[in-house]
Amino acid sequence: DTEVTQTPKHLVMGMTNKKSLKCEQHMGHRAMYWYKQKAKKPPELMFVYSYEKLSINESVPSRFSPECPNSSLLNLHLHALQPEDSALYLCASSHPRETSTDTQYFGPGTRLTVL
Amino acid sequence: GIQVEQSPPDLILQEGANSTLRCNFSDSVNNLQWFHQNPWGQLINLFYIPSGTKQNGRLSATTVATERYSLLYISSSQTTDSGVYFCAVVPIKAAGNKLTFGGGTRVLVKP
């Protein structure tokens, strides 16, 4: 089973709201990733967690706050977002850890709209 | 950083036609993946192919690592093949599994 799940599928939020995106995998993967994809553009890496520790932060603004509470779960906490943050947010995982030769598997994404 | 270029940017096919998509990359890689992004946004793994040739049904892929390119072949295309095809790579010099995506090839298969 190579399934990564993400909730919610769609999210609309105001600039003063606080919300969270959730990602879950039960494949025993120990590396998990957040990507952001704007319309008609390729995905861009935001964060990487390896063994539940943040290993890569691609200079993402602090209004995005990742969290990895356990090996199966990855959250992205959102606060004070801007309309330009509207995008498709994709989660991925890879096995067994964050090495460059591991295949990444992606979830279906959360489509976020910031009003 | 590494540059990944895909061609053509757009492709319109009649159902049943064959096509070839290309991915050029500017540095040596030890991870190359092809994905299909469907109209709902899901990125579907097609191939993990840092070198060599693989086939899966009507799709096949070849990566010539020494010449820094990869090809994705779609044979007997179907309307369900429509979507965006991405090539993504991790350069050998990279720290960790940081995939860099090409710009994608947008494919429309007409019935």
mmCIF file of all heavy atoms in Angstrom, chain A residues 33 35 37 40-43 45 56 58 88 90 94 97-108 111, chain B residues 30-31 33 35 37 39-43 45 48 86 90-92 94-99 101-103 106:
data_model
loop_
_atom_site.group_PDB
_atom_site.id
_atom_site.type_symbol
_atom_site.label_atom_id
_atom_site.label_comp_id
_atom_site.label_asym_id
_atom_site.label_seq_id
_atom_site.Cartn_x
_atom_site.Cartn_y
_atom_site.Cartn_z
ATOM 1 N N TYR A 33 7.432 15.155 3.827
ATOM 2 C CA TYR A 33 7.723 16.401 3.128
ATOM 3 C C TYR A 33 6.457 17.230 2.937
ATOM 4 O O TYR A 33 5.367 16.681 2.739
ATOM 5 C CB TYR A 33 8.275 16.093 1.720
ATOM 6 C CG TYR A 33 9.383 15.070 1.657
ATOM 7 C CD1 TYR A 33 9.114 13.705 1.787
ATOM 8 C CD2 TYR A 33 10.705 15.455 1.447
ATOM 9 C CE1 TYR A 33 10.137 12.768 1.723
ATOM 10 C CE2 TYR A 33 11.723 14.520 1.369
ATOM 11 C CZ TYR A 33 11.431 13.181 1.513
ATOM 12 O OH TYR A 33 12.443 12.245 1.449
ATOM 13 N N TYR A 35 5.169 20.225 0.231
ATOM 14 C CA TYR A 35 5.416 20.977 -0.991
ATOM 15 C C TYR A 35 4.267 21.961 -1.200
ATOM 16 O O TYR A 35 3.130 21.708 -0.798
ATOM 17 C CB TYR A 35 5.454 20.056 -2.219
ATOM 18 C CG TYR A 35 6.662 19.166 -2.339
ATOM 19 C CD1 TYR A 35 6.746 17.970 -1.628
ATOM 20 C CD2 TYR A 35 7.718 19.503 -3.188
ATOM 21 C CE1 TYR A 35 7.851 17.142 -1.748
ATOM 22 C CE2 TYR A 35 8.824 18.678 -3.320
ATOM 23 C CZ TYR A 35 8.872 17.507 -2.602
ATOM 24 O OH TYR A 35 9.972 16.684 -2.727
ATOM 25 N N GLN A 37 2.341 24.100 -4.379
ATOM 26 C CA GLN A 37 2.239 24.176 -5.836
ATOM 27 C C GLN A 37 1.242 25.267 -6.224
ATOM 28 O O GLN A 37 0.039 25.154 -5.954
ATOM 29 C CB GLN A 37 1.799 22.829 -6.430
ATOM 30 C CG GLN A 37 1.810 22.824 -7.943
ATOM 31 C CD GLN A 37 1.423 21.488 -8.539
ATOM 32 O OE1 GLN A 37 0.805 20.649 -7.890
ATOM 33 N NE2 GLN A 37 1.798 21.263 -9.793
ATOM 34 N N LYS A 40 -0.463 26.096 -12.403
ATOM 35 C CA LYS A 40 0.338 25.964 -13.628
ATOM 36 C C LYS A 40 1.847 26.023 -13.367
ATOM 37 O O LYS A 40 2.622 26.363 -14.271
ATOM 38 C CB LYS A 40 -0.062 27.025 -14.658
ATOM 39 C CG LYS A 40 -1.516 26.909 -15.103
ATOM 40 C CD LYS A 40 -1.797 27.799 -16.288
ATOM 41 C CE LYS A 40 -3.266 27.805 -16.679
ATOM 42 N NZ LYS A 40 -3.793 26.484 -17.027
ATOM 43 N N LYS A 41 2.258 25.696 -12.152
ATOM 44 C CA LYS A 41 3.668 25.646 -11.799
ATOM 45 C C LYS A 41 3.994 24.272 -11.213
ATOM 46 O O LYS A 41 3.087 23.557 -10.778
ATOM 47 C CB LYS A 41 4.004 26.723 -10.752
ATOM 48 C CG LYS A 41 3.813 28.143 -11.249
ATOM 49 C CD LYS A 41 4.861 28.525 -12.254
ATOM 50 C CE LYS A 41 4.764 29.995 -12.611
ATOM 51 N NZ LYS A 41 5.755 30.361 -13.651
ATOM 52 N N PRO A 42 5.281 23.907 -11.179
ATOM 53 C CA PRO A 42 5.625 22.635 -10.529
ATOM 54 C C PRO A 42 5.631 22.769 -9.007
ATOM 55 O O PRO A 42 5.706 23.885 -8.491
ATOM 56 C CB PRO A 42 7.043 22.361 -11.054
ATOM 57 C CG PRO A 42 7.594 23.701 -11.385
ATOM 58 C CD PRO A 42 6.434 24.534 -11.843
ATOM 59 N N PRO A 43 5.560 21.647 -8.299
ATOM 60 C CA PRO A 43 5.667 21.701 -6.831
ATOM 61 C C PRO A 43 7.030 22.220 -6.397
ATOM 62 O O PRO A 43 8.048 21.971 -7.047
ATOM 63 C CB PRO A 43 5.484 20.236 -6.413
ATOM 64 C CG PRO A 43 4.794 19.587 -7.557
ATOM 65 C CD PRO A 43 5.293 20.282 -8.777
ATOM 66 N N LEU A 45 9.517 22.446 -2.858
ATOM 67 C CA LEU A 45 9.713 21.921 -1.513
ATOM 68 C C LEU A 45 9.642 23.031 -0.474
ATOM 69 O O LEU A 45 10.204 24.113 -0.670
ATOM 70 C CB LEU A 45 11.068 21.216 -1.438
ATOM 71 C CG LEU A 45 11.414 20.548 -0.115
ATOM 72 C CD1 LEU A 45 10.500 19.347 0.133
ATOM 73 C CD2 LEU A 45 12.881 20.106 -0.114
ATOM 74 N N ILE A 56 15.092 19.968 6.794
ATOM 75 C CA ILE A 56 15.219 20.999 5.763
ATOM 76 C C ILE A 56 14.057 21.982 5.885
ATOM 77 O O ILE A 56 12.900 21.586 5.962
ATOM 78 C CB ILE A 56 15.226 20.389 4.339
ATOM 79 C CG1 ILE A 56 16.440 19.476 4.147
ATOM 80 C CG2 ILE A 56 15.225 21.492 3.273
ATOM 81 C CD1 ILE A 56 16.477 18.755 2.809
ATOM 82 N N GLU A 58 13.083 25.296 3.618
ATOM 83 C CA GLU A 58 13.495 26.049 2.444
ATOM 84 C C GLU A 58 13.145 27.529 2.583
ATOM 85 O O GLU A 58 12.475 28.114 1.731
ATOM 86 C CB GLU A 58 12.841 25.459 1.183
ATOM 87 C CG GLU A 58 13.349 24.077 0.816
ATOM 88 C CD GLU A 58 14.776 24.113 0.279
ATOM 89 O OE1 GLU A 58 14.953 24.293 -0.941
ATOM 90 O OE2 GLU A 58 15.711 23.935 1.081
ATOM 91 N N LEU A 88 -2.017 24.697 -3.925
ATOM 92 C CA LEU A 88 -2.212 23.285 -3.584
ATOM 93 C C LEU A 88 -1.037 22.871 -2.704
ATOM 94 O O LEU A 88 0.123 23.055 -3.091
ATOM 95 C CB LEU A 88 -2.247 22.437 -4.856
ATOM 96 C CG LEU A 88 -2.435 20.929 -4.676
ATOM 97 C CD1 LEU A 88 -3.825 20.614 -4.142
ATOM 98 C CD2 LEU A 88 -2.202 20.213 -6.013
ATOM 99 N N LEU A 90 0.940 19.898 -0.982
ATOM 100 C CA LEU A 90 1.130 18.469 -1.164
ATOM 101 C C LEU A 90 2.050 17.922 -0.090
ATOM 102 O O LEU A 90 3.074 18.531 0.248
ATOM 103 C CB LEU A 90 1.756 18.187 -2.533
ATOM 104 C CG LEU A 90 0.878 18.499 -3.739
ATOM 105 C CD1 LEU A 90 1.733 18.631 -4.992
ATOM 106 C CD2 LEU A 90 -0.174 17.425 -3.935
ATOM 107 N N SER A 94 8.786 9.144 2.119
ATOM 108 C CA SER A 94 9.706 8.221 1.467
ATOM 109 C C SER A 94 10.292 7.272 2.503
ATOM 110 O O SER A 94 10.344 7.558 3.693
ATOM 111 C CB SER A 94 10.815 8.965 0.711
ATOM 112 O OG SER A 94 11.659 9.665 1.599
ATOM 113 N N ARG A 97 14.103 6.532 4.841
ATOM 114 C CA ARG A 97 14.506 7.805 5.443
ATOM 115 C C ARG A 97 14.841 8.760 4.313
ATOM 116 O O ARG A 97 14.576 8.482 3.145
ATOM 117 C CB ARG A 97 15.717 7.605 6.358
ATOM 118 C CG ARG A 97 16.882 6.915 5.650
ATOM 119 C CD ARG A 97 17.943 6.465 6.629
ATOM 120 N NE ARG A 97 18.961 5.668 5.976
ATOM 121 C CZ ARG A 97 18.866 4.364 5.769
ATOM 122 N NH1 ARG A 97 17.804 3.728 6.152
ATOM 123 N NH2 ARG A 97 19.831 3.709 5.173
ATOM 124 N N GLU A 98 15.403 9.863 4.687
ATOM 125 C CA GLU A 98 15.576 10.942 3.731
ATOM 126 C C GLU A 98 16.915 10.803 3.000
ATOM 127 O O GLU A 98 17.813 11.602 3.168
ATOM 128 C CB GLU A 98 15.492 12.273 4.487
ATOM 129 C CG GLU A 98 15.582 13.499 3.615
ATOM 130 C CD GLU A 98 16.502 14.525 4.227
ATOM 131 O OE1 GLU A 98 16.847 14.385 5.406
ATOM 132 O OE2 GLU A 98 16.895 15.447 3.525
ATOM 133 N N THR A 99 17.028 9.756 2.204
ATOM 134 C CA THR A 99 18.223 9.640 1.372
ATOM 135 C C THR A 99 17.845 9.909 -0.073
ATOM 136 O O THR A 99 16.711 9.689 -0.481
ATOM 137 C CB THR A 99 18.854 8.243 1.493
ATOM 138 O OG1 THR A 99 17.847 7.266 1.180
ATOM 139 C CG2 THR A 99 19.374 8.008 2.888
ATOM 140 N N SER A 100 18.803 10.356 -0.809
ATOM 141 C CA SER A 100 18.500 10.891 -2.136
ATOM 142 C C SER A 100 18.014 9.833 -3.113
ATOM 143 O O SER A 100 17.481 10.164 -4.154
ATOM 144 C CB SER A 100 19.718 11.607 -2.703
ATOM 145 O OG SER A 100 20.787 10.690 -2.829
ATOM 146 N N THR A 101 18.181 8.559 -2.795
ATOM 147 C CA THR A 101 17.769 7.529 -3.744
ATOM 148 C C THR A 101 16.401 6.945 -3.409
ATOM 149 O O THR A 101 15.997 5.959 -3.998
ATOM 150 C CB THR A 101 18.805 6.392 -3.776
ATOM 151 O OG1 THR A 101 19.008 5.919 -2.445
ATOM 152 C CG2 THR A 101 20.120 6.869 -4.350
ATOM 153 N N ASP A 102 15.692 7.517 -2.470
ATOM 154 C CA ASP A 102 14.389 6.975 -2.097
ATOM 155 C C ASP A 102 13.263 7.589 -2.927
ATOM 156 O O ASP A 102 13.243 8.785 -3.177
ATOM 157 C CB ASP A 102 14.094 7.245 -0.609
ATOM 158 C CG ASP A 102 15.046 6.480 0.299
ATOM 159 O OD1 ASP A 102 15.491 5.393 -0.105
ATOM 160 O OD2 ASP A 102 15.335 6.978 1.391
ATOM 161 N N THR A 103 12.306 6.746 -3.310
ATOM 162 C CA THR A 103 11.140 7.205 -4.055
ATOM 163 C C THR A 103 10.207 7.973 -3.123
ATOM 164 O O THR A 103 9.910 7.513 -2.022
ATOM 165 C CB THR A 103 10.386 6.003 -4.641
ATOM 166 O OG1 THR A 103 11.271 5.267 -5.478
ATOM 167 C CG2 THR A 103 9.183 6.457 -5.451
ATOM 168 N N GLN A 104 9.732 9.133 -3.571
ATOM 169 C CA GLN A 104 8.757 9.895 -2.800
ATOM 170 C C GLN A 104 7.354 9.599 -3.313
ATOM 171 O O GLN A 104 7.116 9.574 -4.516
ATOM 172 C CB GLN A 104 9.037 11.392 -2.897
ATOM 173 C CG GLN A 104 10.308 11.811 -2.177
ATOM 174 C CD GLN A 104 10.496 13.298 -2.111
ATOM 175 O OE1 GLN A 104 9.534 14.075 -2.067
ATOM 176 N NE2 GLN A 104 11.750 13.725 -2.114
ATOM 177 N N TYR A 105 6.422 9.400 -2.373
ATOM 178 C CA TYR A 105 5.023 9.138 -2.688
ATOM 179 C C TYR A 105 4.193 10.305 -2.173
ATOM 180 O O TYR A 105 4.349 10.716 -1.024
ATOM 181 C CB TYR A 105 4.555 7.834 -2.043
ATOM 182 C CG TYR A 105 5.292 6.623 -2.553
ATOM 183 C CD1 TYR A 105 6.424 6.156 -1.913
ATOM 184 C CD2 TYR A 105 4.868 5.966 -3.704
ATOM 185 C CE1 TYR A 105 7.118 5.059 -2.395
ATOM 186 C CE2 TYR A 105 5.554 4.857 -4.193
ATOM 187 C CZ TYR A 105 6.677 4.415 -3.530
ATOM 188 O OH TYR A 105 7.360 3.336 -4.015
ATOM 189 N N PHE A 106 3.304 10.791 -3.030
ATOM 190 C CA PHE A 106 2.566 12.003 -2.723
ATOM 191 C C PHE A 106 1.112 11.730 -2.349
ATOM 192 O O PHE A 106 0.491 10.794 -2.860
ATOM 193 C CB PHE A 106 2.581 12.954 -3.934
ATOM 194 C CG PHE A 106 3.878 13.680 -4.096
ATOM 195 C CD1 PHE A 106 4.984 13.053 -4.635
ATOM 196 C CD2 PHE A 106 3.997 14.997 -3.695
ATOM 197 C CE1 PHE A 106 6.192 13.728 -4.774
ATOM 198 C CE2 PHE A 106 5.189 15.690 -3.824
ATOM 199 C CZ PHE A 106 6.292 15.043 -4.361
ATOM 200 N N GLY A 107 0.593 12.578 -1.467
ATOM 201 C CA GLY A 107 -0.818 12.577 -1.147
ATOM 202 C C GLY A 107 -1.604 13.364 -2.184
ATOM 203 O O GLY A 107 -1.021 13.973 -3.089
ATOM 204 N N PRO A 108 -2.943 13.393 -2.045
ATOM 205 C CA PRO A 108 -3.792 14.065 -3.035
ATOM 206 C C PRO A 108 -3.793 15.579 -2.919
ATOM 207 O O PRO A 108 -4.287 16.262 -3.815
ATOM 208 C CB PRO A 108 -5.177 13.508 -2.737
ATOM 209 C CG PRO A 108 -5.122 13.127 -1.297
ATOM 210 C CD PRO A 108 -3.722 12.680 -1.026
ATOM 211 N N ARG A 111 -6.269 21.879 -1.281
ATOM 212 C CA ARG A 111 -6.359 23.110 -2.072
ATOM 213 C C ARG A 111 -6.781 24.239 -1.144
ATOM 214 O O ARG A 111 -7.894 24.239 -0.626
ATOM 215 C CB ARG A 111 -7.351 22.932 -3.222
ATOM 216 C CG ARG A 111 -7.118 23.881 -4.374
ATOM 217 C CD ARG A 111 -7.876 23.454 -5.623
ATOM 218 N NE ARG A 111 -7.362 22.245 -6.245
ATOM 219 C CZ ARG A 111 -6.322 22.193 -7.078
ATOM 220 N NH1 ARG A 111 -5.663 23.293 -7.355
ATOM 221 N NH2 ARG A 111 -5.961 21.049 -7.607
ATOM 222 N N ASN B 30 21.153 11.130 -8.819
ATOM 223 C CA ASN B 30 21.004 9.735 -8.390
ATOM 224 C C ASN B 30 19.558 9.417 -8.035
ATOM 225 O O ASN B 30 19.279 8.388 -7.432
ATOM 226 C CB ASN B 30 21.959 9.378 -7.241
ATOM 227 C CG ASN B 30 21.785 10.265 -6.047
ATOM 228 O OD1 ASN B 30 20.843 11.044 -5.983
ATOM 229 N ND2 ASN B 30 22.683 10.178 -5.099
ATOM 230 N N ASN B 31 18.663 10.300 -8.377
ATOM 231 C CA ASN B 31 17.224 10.049 -8.212
ATOM 232 C C ASN B 31 16.518 10.790 -9.332
ATOM 233 O O ASN B 31 16.745 11.998 -9.525
ATOM 234 C CB ASN B 31 16.752 10.548 -6.836
ATOM 235 C CG ASN B 31 15.290 10.240 -6.551
ATOM 236 O OD1 ASN B 31 14.494 10.022 -7.454
ATOM 237 N ND2 ASN B 31 14.941 10.225 -5.282
ATOM 238 N N GLN B 33 12.491 10.784 -10.933
ATOM 239 C CA GLN B 33 11.138 10.235 -10.915
ATOM 240 C C GLN B 33 10.285 10.922 -11.974
ATOM 241 O O GLN B 33 10.426 12.130 -12.201
ATOM 242 C CB GLN B 33 10.488 10.431 -9.536
ATOM 243 C CG GLN B 33 11.140 9.622 -8.435
ATOM 244 C CD GLN B 33 10.388 9.745 -7.108
ATOM 245 O OE1 GLN B 33 10.915 10.188 -6.100
ATOM 246 N NE2 GLN B 33 9.134 9.332 -7.100
ATOM 247 N N PHE B 35 6.257 11.659 -12.827
ATOM 248 C CA PHE B 35 4.935 11.703 -12.211
ATOM 249 C C PHE B 35 3.895 12.120 -13.246
ATOM 250 O O PHE B 35 4.194 12.861 -14.185
ATOM 251 C CB PHE B 35 4.883 12.748 -11.079
ATOM 252 C CG PHE B 35 5.770 12.473 -9.911
ATOM 253 C CD1 PHE B 35 7.049 13.019 -9.866
ATOM 254 C CD2 PHE B 35 5.341 11.707 -8.850
ATOM 255 C CE1 PHE B 35 7.878 12.793 -8.772
ATOM 256 C CE2 PHE B 35 6.159 11.477 -7.748
ATOM 257 C CZ PHE B 35 7.422 12.025 -7.726
ATOM 258 N N GLN B 37 0.323 14.152 -13.015
ATOM 259 C CA GLN B 37 -0.602 14.877 -12.143
ATOM 260 C C GLN B 37 -1.959 14.929 -12.824
ATOM 261 O O GLN B 37 -2.081 15.519 -13.912
ATOM 262 C CB GLN B 37 -0.104 16.284 -11.821
ATOM 263 C CG GLN B 37 -0.955 16.984 -10.758
ATOM 264 C CD GLN B 37 -0.277 18.201 -10.175
ATOM 265 O OE1 GLN B 37 0.329 18.992 -10.887
ATOM 266 N NE2 GLN B 37 -0.376 18.371 -8.861
ATOM 267 N N PRO B 39 -6.120 15.793 -13.235
ATOM 268 C CA PRO B 39 -6.827 17.087 -13.134
ATOM 269 C C PRO B 39 -7.222 17.463 -11.711
ATOM 270 O O PRO B 39 -7.508 18.631 -11.439
ATOM 271 C CB PRO B 39 -8.053 16.880 -14.027
ATOM 272 C CG PRO B 39 -7.625 15.848 -15.025
ATOM 273 C CD PRO B 39 -6.714 14.913 -14.259
ATOM 274 N N TRP B 40 -7.268 16.518 -10.787
ATOM 275 C CA TRP B 40 -7.622 16.809 -9.399
ATOM 276 C C TRP B 40 -6.391 17.153 -8.554
ATOM 277 O O TRP B 40 -6.503 17.420 -7.372
ATOM 278 C CB TRP B 40 -8.376 15.621 -8.795
ATOM 279 C CG TRP B 40 -9.660 15.394 -9.531
ATOM 280 C CD1 TRP B 40 -10.883 15.951 -9.274
ATOM 281 C CD2 TRP B 40 -9.831 14.558 -10.683
ATOM 282 N NE1 TRP B 40 -11.791 15.510 -10.196
ATOM 283 C CE2 TRP B 40 -11.190 14.658 -11.067
ATOM 284 C CE3 TRP B 40 -8.985 13.738 -11.429
ATOM 285 C CZ2 TRP B 40 -11.711 13.969 -12.152
ATOM 286 C CZ3 TRP B 40 -9.503 13.057 -12.519
ATOM 287 C CH2 TRP B 40 -10.858 13.174 -12.866
ATOM 288 N N GLY B 41 -5.226 17.100 -9.154
ATOM 289 C CA GLY B 41 -4.011 17.511 -8.453
ATOM 290 C C GLY B 41 -3.168 16.379 -7.899
ATOM 291 O O GLY B 41 -2.055 16.612 -7.425
ATOM 292 N N GLN B 42 -3.663 15.161 -7.938
ATOM 293 C CA GLN B 42 -2.911 14.031 -7.397
ATOM 294 C C GLN B 42 -1.682 13.741 -8.254
ATOM 295 O O GLN B 42 -1.795 13.606 -9.471
ATOM 296 C CB GLN B 42 -3.801 12.793 -7.343
ATOM 297 C CG GLN B 42 -3.063 11.508 -6.989
ATOM 298 C CD GLN B 42 -2.878 11.309 -5.498
ATOM 299 O OE1 GLN B 42 -3.850 11.214 -4.752
ATOM 300 N NE2 GLN B 42 -1.633 11.222 -5.052
ATOM 301 N N LEU B 43 -0.530 13.661 -7.598
ATOM 302 C CA LEU B 43 0.709 13.279 -8.271
ATOM 303 C C LEU B 43 0.867 11.771 -8.171
ATOM 304 O O LEU B 43 1.020 11.229 -7.077
ATOM 305 C CB LEU B 43 1.911 13.953 -7.616
ATOM 306 C CG LEU B 43 2.304 15.334 -8.109
ATOM 307 C CD1 LEU B 43 3.349 15.933 -7.203
ATOM 308 C CD2 LEU B 43 2.821 15.289 -9.532
ATOM 309 N N ASN B 45 2.935 8.370 -9.024
ATOM 310 C CA ASN B 45 4.261 7.877 -9.397
ATOM 311 C C ASN B 45 4.174 7.020 -10.659
ATOM 312 O O ASN B 45 3.377 6.078 -10.712
ATOM 313 C CB ASN B 45 4.852 7.021 -8.283
ATOM 314 C CG ASN B 45 5.192 7.822 -7.063
ATOM 315 O OD1 ASN B 45 4.306 8.294 -6.364
ATOM 316 N ND2 ASN B 45 6.473 7.998 -6.817
ATOM 317 N N TYR B 48 10.510 5.367 -11.052
ATOM 318 C CA TYR B 48 11.744 5.781 -10.398
ATOM 319 C C TYR B 48 12.852 5.268 -11.308
ATOM 320 O O TYR B 48 13.019 4.047 -11.435
ATOM 321 C CB TYR B 48 11.842 5.197 -8.994
ATOM 322 C CG TYR B 48 13.198 5.375 -8.359
ATOM 323 C CD1 TYR B 48 13.542 6.570 -7.749
ATOM 324 C CD2 TYR B 48 14.134 4.349 -8.380
ATOM 325 C CE1 TYR B 48 14.783 6.744 -7.181
ATOM 326 C CE2 TYR B 48 15.370 4.517 -7.801
ATOM 327 C CZ TYR B 48 15.698 5.712 -7.207
ATOM 328 O OH TYR B 48 16.935 5.884 -6.634
ATOM 329 N N PHE B 86 5.369 15.389 -14.942
ATOM 330 C CA PHE B 86 6.540 16.028 -14.350
ATOM 331 C C PHE B 86 7.689 15.036 -14.245
ATOM 332 O O PHE B 86 7.502 13.877 -13.888
ATOM 333 C CB PHE B 86 6.231 16.540 -12.939
ATOM 334 C CG PHE B 86 5.368 17.763 -12.876
ATOM 335 C CD1 PHE B 86 4.047 17.660 -12.470
ATOM 336 C CD2 PHE B 86 5.870 19.011 -13.196
ATOM 337 C CE1 PHE B 86 3.229 18.789 -12.394
ATOM 338 C CE2 PHE B 86 5.082 20.139 -13.125
ATOM 339 C CZ PHE B 86 3.757 20.024 -12.728
ATOM 340 N N VAL B 90 16.958 14.491 -8.028
ATOM 341 C CA VAL B 90 17.799 14.872 -6.893
ATOM 342 C C VAL B 90 19.232 14.790 -7.366
ATOM 343 O O VAL B 90 19.693 13.706 -7.772
ATOM 344 C CB VAL B 90 17.603 13.941 -5.685
ATOM 345 C CG1 VAL B 90 18.513 14.375 -4.527
ATOM 346 C CG2 VAL B 90 16.153 13.929 -5.228
ATOM 347 N N PRO B 91 19.964 15.906 -7.370
ATOM 348 C CA PRO B 91 21.358 15.849 -7.811
ATOM 349 C C PRO B 91 22.223 15.074 -6.821
ATOM 350 O O PRO B 91 21.936 15.040 -5.625
ATOM 351 C CB PRO B 91 21.783 17.317 -7.895
ATOM 352 C CG PRO B 91 20.787 18.072 -7.108
ATOM 353 C CD PRO B 91 19.538 17.259 -7.043
ATOM 354 N N ILE B 92 23.281 14.470 -7.363
ATOM 355 C CA ILE B 92 24.195 13.687 -6.525
ATOM 356 C C ILE B 92 24.769 14.545 -5.405
ATOM 357 O O ILE B 92 24.978 14.086 -4.289
ATOM 358 C CB ILE B 92 25.313 13.082 -7.398
ATOM 359 C CG1 ILE B 92 24.733 11.939 -8.231
ATOM 360 C CG2 ILE B 92 26.486 12.615 -6.561
ATOM 361 C CD1 ILE B 92 25.726 11.328 -9.208
ATOM 362 N N ALA B 94 23.362 16.888 -3.784
ATOM 363 C CA ALA B 94 22.377 17.423 -2.844
ATOM 364 C C ALA B 94 22.482 16.737 -1.495
ATOM 365 O O ALA B 94 22.801 15.551 -1.399
ATOM 366 C CB ALA B 94 20.965 17.255 -3.406
ATOM 367 N N ALA B 95 22.157 17.520 -0.442
ATOM 368 C CA ALA B 95 22.056 16.955 0.902
ATOM 369 C C ALA B 95 20.609 16.535 1.105
ATOM 370 O O ALA B 95 19.724 17.368 1.151
ATOM 371 C CB ALA B 95 22.452 18.004 1.926
ATOM 372 N N GLY B 96 20.368 15.253 1.186
ATOM 373 C CA GLY B 96 19.014 14.806 1.423
ATOM 374 C C GLY B 96 18.228 14.609 0.144
ATOM 375 O O GLY B 96 18.733 14.748 -0.961
ATOM 376 N N ASN B 97 16.949 14.301 0.307
ATOM 377 C CA ASN B 97 16.088 13.904 -0.805
ATOM 378 C C ASN B 97 15.271 15.094 -1.297
ATOM 379 O O ASN B 97 14.051 15.080 -1.255
ATOM 380 C CB ASN B 97 15.166 12.768 -0.327
ATOM 381 C CG ASN B 97 14.586 11.974 -1.480
ATOM 382 O OD1 ASN B 97 14.799 12.291 -2.638
ATOM 383 N ND2 ASN B 97 13.854 10.934 -1.148
ATOM 384 N N LYS B 98 15.947 16.148 -1.776
ATOM 385 C CA LYS B 98 15.270 17.341 -2.253
ATOM 386 C C LYS B 98 14.982 17.208 -3.734
ATOM 387 O O LYS B 98 15.848 17.430 -4.568
ATOM 388 C CB LYS B 98 16.145 18.570 -2.002
ATOM 389 C CG LYS B 98 16.350 18.902 -0.536
ATOM 390 C CD LYS B 98 17.323 20.045 -0.341
ATOM 391 C CE LYS B 98 16.907 21.317 -1.049
ATOM 392 N NZ LYS B 98 17.762 22.468 -0.688
ATOM 393 N N LEU B 99 13.737 16.876 -4.044
ATOM 394 C CA LEU B 99 13.331 16.763 -5.448
ATOM 395 C C LEU B 99 13.201 18.149 -6.074
ATOM 396 O O LEU B 99 12.539 19.016 -5.510
ATOM 397 C CB LEU B 99 11.996 16.040 -5.560
ATOM 398 C CG LEU B 99 11.953 14.523 -5.568
ATOM 399 C CD1 LEU B 99 10.515 14.043 -5.581
ATOM 400 C CD2 LEU B 99 12.716 13.958 -6.754
ATOM 401 N N PHE B 101 11.694 19.802 -9.483
ATOM 402 C CA PHE B 101 10.796 19.451 -10.573
ATOM 403 C C PHE B 101 11.094 20.268 -11.824
ATOM 404 O O PHE B 101 11.471 21.447 -11.752
ATOM 405 C CB PHE B 101 9.343 19.716 -10.170
ATOM 406 C CG PHE B 101 8.762 18.697 -9.234
ATOM 407 C CD1 PHE B 101 9.118 18.669 -7.895
ATOM 408 C CD2 PHE B 101 7.862 17.753 -9.697
ATOM 409 C CE1 PHE B 101 8.589 17.730 -7.029
ATOM 410 C CE2 PHE B 101 7.320 16.809 -8.845
ATOM 411 C CZ PHE B 101 7.680 16.798 -7.508
ATOM 412 N N GLY B 102 10.886 19.644 -12.975
ATOM 413 C CA GLY B 102 10.851 20.391 -14.217
ATOM 414 C C GLY B 102 9.526 21.130 -14.342
ATOM 415 O O GLY B 102 8.637 20.971 -13.502
ATOM 416 N N GLY B 103 9.399 21.915 -15.402
ATOM 417 C CA GLY B 103 8.205 22.730 -15.583
ATOM 418 C C GLY B 103 6.968 21.942 -16.006
ATOM 419 O O GLY B 103 5.859 22.475 -15.986
ATOM 420 N N ARG B 106 2.173 19.510 -20.385
ATOM 421 C CA ARG B 106 0.717 19.419 -20.255
ATOM 422 C C ARG B 106 0.195 18.644 -21.454
ATOM 423 O O ARG B 106 0.363 19.076 -22.598
ATOM 424 C CB ARG B 106 0.120 20.820 -20.223
ATOM 425 C CG ARG B 106 -1.307 20.897 -19.746
ATOM 426 C CD ARG B 106 -1.714 22.355 -19.521
ATOM 427 N NE ARG B 106 -0.867 22.986 -18.510
ATOM 428 C CZ ARG B 106 -1.121 22.982 -17.211
ATOM 429 N NH1 ARG B 106 -2.196 22.386 -16.752
ATOM 430 N NH2 ARG B 106 -0.302 23.580 -16.372
#
